Amino acid sequence: MPGESPRAPGANRLPLARGLSPSELEALVAAEGGKAFHGRILAEWVHQKGVLDWERISNLSKVLRQRLARRMRLSTSTVLKTSVAEEGTKKYLLKLEDGESIEMVLIPEGRRNTLCMSSQVGCPIACIFCASGLYGVRRNLGSEELIEQFLLARQELGETPLTNIVVMGLGEPMLNLAELLPALERIVRNHGFSARRITVSTSGTSERIRRFARSGHPYGLALSLHAADAELRKQLVPTATEEPEVLVQASQDYFRLTGREPTFEIVLLRNRNDEPQHARALVRLLQKQRGKVNLIPWNPVEEIQDLFSPEPERVERFREILEEGGLKVTLRRRRGRDRNAACGQLRLNQLVEPA
Ligand code: SAH
């Protein structure tokens, strides 16, 4: 398992408005010739609405906004590109202050609107089937960069409520707990978002899963298991250092500490981990454990030529064996397969052909 990644760059720029208290904001407004109520208006936009650009602050004059913009920033990242896949899934390529880029995805699904957030720039885990890890990890995201994905998602949705957050974009969240935990804490406490509607997906480690369990919030946990057999899992997740049993054990501790049953994610690859014997091994590993299995037929990644999605019949057979073994199973519907569908692909395109 890879170690800590570099931290986000220190901000040697204007202060971030979100980092200033309401009275500090009011003082800056006064210094720029605004009235006291202008200060309160700004504080509300910044702290309650989470505004990301000056244009939106329609109840302050343009002149005042221009002056204030020389004193503080509203955001650290900018949207470089968006792409809409089938069924309305929308991907955002975000440019960070140091020129790095990440992705976030908005997934509408009936009444649900889910944000898929990135936790790092790239990923060090290097799962053989995943686009995010093809070029390794560049650095961790800072908590402001994490929060901004949430604020941007809300801003983009407008009147439509954001209902769920999954930390399943670029990166391994457990390798960035130092920034992720405070960011999630703020999303829950300051913005009133329910911790039960936030799910963090991880490949490990068990020690970090236990640390995550002590966050004090009932976040959902998804464990990227992919196979019950240690050798097979190591083929799929080459940086894995722990046996599947050890990770499953940590997920059970997570349940005991938070009351949340984990989800075991299995990305299914044709002829690699989709055979009946693999399903039976999962039954043996998981049948006495709390949690449910989420089967995810692999989303093809252009750069990965030697892997294939399983045939639907194979997926069905796999599901049947798990269910006959008494496991709870869900099957993730294919989403946005037409363009840049899998994790990290929008960023990958940009890395390959810079915009
Ligand atoms: N690093 C974390 C979180 C990011 S990946 C983790 O490993 O869990 C989120 C989920 O998407 C993981 O279960 C991962 O295995 C899965 N995933 C990655 N690439 C995929 C692809 N091309 N098709 C389907 N699932 C994929």
Side-chain angles (χ1 to χ4, degrees), residues 79-318:
V79 178
L80 209 59
K81 196 158 141 187
T82 59
S83 105
V84 181
E86 65 191 45
E87 299 168 55
T89 293
K90 195 168 177 188
K91 285 202 158 203
Y92 296 79
L93 184 67
L94 306 182
K95 186 165 180 194
L96 310 177
E97 279 181 323
D98 59 351
E100 297 288 358
S101 55
I102 54 161
E103 282 182 31
M104 65 168 231
V105 189
L106 275 179
I107 309 157
E109 211 166 4
R111 257 186 246 144
R112 270 180 181 226
N113 282 288
T114 303
L115 161 66
C116 177
M117 239 168 92
S118 289
S119 56
Q120 297 184 301
V121 181
C123 186
I125 306 293
C127 302
I128 60 164
F129 50 82
C130 177
S132 306
L134 287 177
Y135 297 105
V137 66
R138 305 274 302 171
R139 66 169 173 87
N140 277 336
L141 290 179
S143 55
E144 295 300 340
E145 292 168 326
L146 294 164
I147 294 256
E148 269 173 40
Q149 296 176 61
F150 164 75
L151 297 176
L152 178 63
R154 272 198 337 184
Q155 180 177 295
E156 285 290 298
L157 286 169
E159 297 292 295
T160 313
L162 177 70
T163 58
N164 298 73
I165 298 176
V166 293
V167 186
M168 294 191 182
L170 299 171
E172 171 45 59
M174 294 300 147
L175 292 175
N176 190 16
L177 284 177
E179 299 291 323
L180 182 69
L181 288 177
L184 294 182
E185 171 91 29
R186 274 164 64 188
I187 290 172
V188 169
R189 276 209 204 288
N190 303 2
H191 298 281
F193 198 90
S194 165
R196 309 192 70 83
R197 293 177 173 274
I198 300 177
T199 298
V200 176
S201 174
T202 181
S203 297
T205 60
S206 57
E207 191 264 329
R208 286 166 192 270
I209 290 171
R210 290 194 184 91
R211 208 191 305 167
F212 179 55
R214 294 193 293 269
S215 74
H217 293 290
Y219 301 123
L221 177 79
L223 177 64
S224 292
L225 193 59
H226 309 315
D229 175 73
E231 213 168 296
L232 177 55
R233 184 168 191 271
K234 179 95 182 145
Q235 284 170 23
L236 306 176
V237 187
T239 58
T241 51
E242 293 180 314
E243 307 263 309
E245 290 78 12
V246 174
L247 291 170
V248 170
Q249 199 48 53
S251 77
Q252 301 305 294
D253 290 344
Y254 190 85
F255 166 71
R256 278 188 284 277
L257 283 160
T258 62
R260 293 297 304 270
E261 286 200 348
T263 300
F264 304 105
E265 293 167 294
I266 312 288
V267 171
L268 284 173
L269 295 157
R270 188 193 300 175
N271 297 340
R272 299 296 292 258
N273 65 347
D274 69 339
E275 286 159 28
Q277 66 180 71
H278 302 128
R280 286 193 290 269
L282 279 170
V283 170
R284 286 193 297 276
L285 177 66
L286 300 176
Q287 65 189 347
K288 295 203 175 71
Q289 315 297 334
R290 302 290 294 245
K292 67 166 194 288
V293 174
N294 188 11
L295 294 179
I296 312 163
W298 183 61
N299 249 328
V301 175
E302 217 175 278
E303 290 74 11
I304 301 171
Q305 294 289 329
D306 54 345
L307 297 176
F308 305 92
S309 301
E311 298 86 352
E313 310 80 67
R314 270 293 253 276
V315 178
E316 268 316 308
R317 181 80 192 105
F318 202 95

